[in-house]
Amino acid sequence: MSVETLTFGCRLNIVESEVMRGRAEPGAEGRDLVLVNTCAVTSEAGRQARKAIRRLARTRPGAEIVVTGCGAEVERAAYAAMPEVARLVGNAVKLRPENWGETADIMAPRAAEASALDRMAGHTRAFVAVQNGCDHRCTFCVIPFGRGNSRSVPVPDAVAQVRRIVEHGGREVVLTGVDLTAYGRDLDPDLTLGRLVRSILREVPDLARLRLSSIDSVEADAELIAAFAEEPRLMPHIHLSLQAGDDLILKRMKRRHSRADAIRFCESLRALRPGLVFGADLIAGFPTETEAQFTRSLDLVAECGLTHLHVFPYSPRPGTPAARMPPVSPDNVRTRAARLREAGAAALRHHLDGAVGTDRRVLTERGGMARTEDFTGVRLVTEVPSGEIRDVTITGHDGQVLLAA
């Protein structure tokens, strides 16, 4: 028998699923155990998770289905009502199988722990969770109530995990968290994400590539910005949690940056690191959003020079302030999301056009794919082993990924 994981949502969930699987295996002999790590960022994420759980129960009637994650934390009653679920495990205890029978307050203070992984099955790049939880309360978001308050993995522990990954053949590491730029404040007021990045690059010289997952631009510290300018092993790709391009909507979201802040950040980083590529999360159809306000979000794609977009149609989450605001019609939400995706697709094609005829260094993945340093996908002519860094010539693109000789 085996332990299988089914993961929804963020990179942090991917890391935690791998930890849970590894720690559950010693006690799973003779059991067909499936760990479902749910997401609560949108109502659709919860719907997909519950659909998958029902499908699992039909196709594997003997499986023991254990459900955890943010969805299980903030929508506990919905999952508890499912006869297919053998056990619900809270986020506070999910990394410790010996504690799965306990309940714990997700908001209770506790330390973050390193995941102690030396590789990630099925992944070319390794994700290292260095931060968890969030101290902010954006009006549309339930994640702080699924993850608790911000807490950070100490620098020596984070460095040690990156070193283990490199010693086991890892070429690229992605630092991840819920609110990554909040890193370190709970440990030391002067400790920042920039200091962690510098420590990793200094103390693990054999690490070929270091990336960051999504960051909040207004929280980026001076040392992090300097690292992007000075550290070639810190990859030139930043994914921003922007969410909107209109100041009033940003205020109603309870975000901490303005439209001008976002544009200024992108301009200043690009000046320091020419060729740096930006991605962003954007929400379409937030409550009260007018057509003019949406247009300012649409225009932000060009004004910030965004290339890789993650577009979310607004999804009301019960209990959040935004869910009580006057909604945008569902048709307008869908239409605006489609328009944002079209703008993102056009921006990506423009980016791909500019890469044709250039030489790029890529990290190979499975299935004949690779990634450039700026995280652009590349399809290789012939399939090569994953995990290799190679120089290739870009011969064209198909509108979504580059093509290489």
Side-chain angles (χ1 to χ4, degrees):
M1 308 303 277
S2 65
V3 177
E4 182 181 328
T5 60
L6 181 59
T7 305
F8 296 85
C10 64
R11 290 168 173 171
L12 186 55
N13 261 9
I14 294 173
V15 176
E16 291 174 340
S17 290
E18 189 69 7
V19 174
M20 286 190 294
R21 184 190 61 78
R23 291 178 176 174
E25 280 181 340
E29 186 175 353
R31 298 159 66 189
D32 184 11
L33 182 62
V34 183
L35 310 177
V36 182
N37 203 358
T38 61
C39 175
V41 71
T42 64
S43 57
E44 177 63 14
R47 190 187 74 80
Q48 290 290 341
R50 288 187 286 274
K51 180 180 178 181
I53 291 167
R54 288 189 288 269
R55 186 188 307 116
L56 267 172
R58 287 195 304 271
T59 58
R60 292 169 64 173
E64 178 184 352
I65 301 174
V66 174
V67 177
T68 187
C70 293
E73 190 71 43
V74 304
E75 299 178 294
R76 191 170 187 86
Y79 289 95
M82 298 182 70
E84 299 87 351
V85 176
R87 173 178 288 182
L88 276 180
V89 176
N91 261 349
V93 297
K94 70 180 182 181
L95 298 185
R96 300 283 177 183
E98 67 273 19
N99 297 334
W100 281 359
E102 301 176 6
T103 58
D105 181 4
I106 193 65
M107 305 304 292
R110 64 189 191 280
E113 61 173 310
S115 55
L117 295 173
D118 54 33
R119 61 173 60 84
M120 293 192 67
H123 291 272
T124 301
R125 56 192 51 82
F127 303 119
V128 174
V130 298
Q131 186 273 340
N132 204 335
C134 185
D135 292 336
H136 305 300
R137 296 295 181 265
C138 296
T139 60
F140 55 85
C141 185
V142 296
I143 299 306
F145 307 103
R147 288 281 178 179
N149 293 319
S150 181
R151 53 204 183 277
S152 309
V153 172
V155 172
D157 295 345
V159 170
Q161 182 169 346
V162 173
R163 185 179 292 116
R164 282 195 302 273
I165 289 167
V166 172
E167 288 172 350
H168 285 80
R171 309 303 302 277
E172 181 174 301
V173 164
V174 183
L175 302 184
T176 189
V178 174
D179 182 19
L180 191 57
T181 37
Y183 177 84
R185 294 176 195 160
D186 56 312
L187 302 176
D188 181 334
D190 296 324
L191 183 56
T192 64
L193 180 60
R195 287 182 60 185
L196 173 64
V197 165
R198 294 283 205 186
S199 295
I200 290 171
L201 292 171
R202 182 179 61 252
E203 297 183 36
V204 193
D206 292 333
L207 173 64
R209 291 179 163 197
L210 181 65
R211 290 192 189 278
L212 305 180
S213 63
S214 178
I215 69 169
D216 196 333
S217 60
V218 78
E219 291 182 330
D221 62 279
E223 193 157 7
L224 179 63
I225 292 171
F228 272 105
E230 300 165 2
E231 300 280 4
R233 290 185 294 143
L234 180 58
M235 295 293 96
H237 168 251
I238 300 177
H239 193 84
L240 299 173
S241 178
L242 294 182
Q243 311 305 350
D246 179 81
D247 284 341
L248 182 56
I249 294 298
L250 287 167
K251 183 175 292 187
R252 288 174 177 164
M253 289 178 166
K254 208 173 179 180
R255 300 294 295 166
R256 295 163 300 285
H257 69 274
S258 68
R259 174 191 183 83
D261 291 333
I263 295 170
R264 186 165 48 247
F265 180 83
C266 293
E267 288 176 343
S268 62
L269 263 291
R270 195 173 278 114
L272 290 170
R273 183 83 173 263
L276 194 150
V277 168
F278 290 96
D281 295 331
L282 290 172
I283 295 174
F286 186 80
T288 76
E289 182 186 71
T290 65
E291 177 64 22
Q293 289 168 331
F294 167 73
T295 299
R296 282 188 273 277
S297 288
L298 197 62
D299 292 344
L300 198 67
V301 177
E303 293 181 59
C304 282
L306 304 176
T307 297
H308 306 296
L309 291 193
H310 289 173
V311 175
F312 299 89
Y314 172 72
S315 174
R317 309 304 287 137
T320 60
R324 299 190 295 272
M325 298 179 187
V328 174
S329 73
D331 284 346
N332 275 338
V333 172
R334 286 191 293 269
T335 299
R336 290 174 185 176
R339 290 165 65 190
L340 271 176
R341 292 189 183 107
E342 288 171 4
L348 177 59
R349 287 193 299 271
H350 177 74
H351 170 69
L352 299 175
D353 286 341
V356 176
T358 65
D359 294 329
R360 296 297 173 98
R361 180 157 291 182
V362 302
L363 177 65
T364 60
E365 300 177 345
R366 294 176 299 169
M369 293 297 297
R371 291 277 177 179
T372 65
E373 292 182 335
D374 63 20
F375 205 63
T376 305
V378 180
R379 182 174 292 113
L380 305 174
V381 172
T382 58
E383 188 168 342
V384 297
S386 64
E388 295 186 2
I389 293 179
R390 295 190 173 196
D391 293 318
V392 299
T393 298
I394 305 302
T395 58
H397 69 80
D398 64 4
Q400 296 181 320
V401 298
L402 296 168
L403 308 176

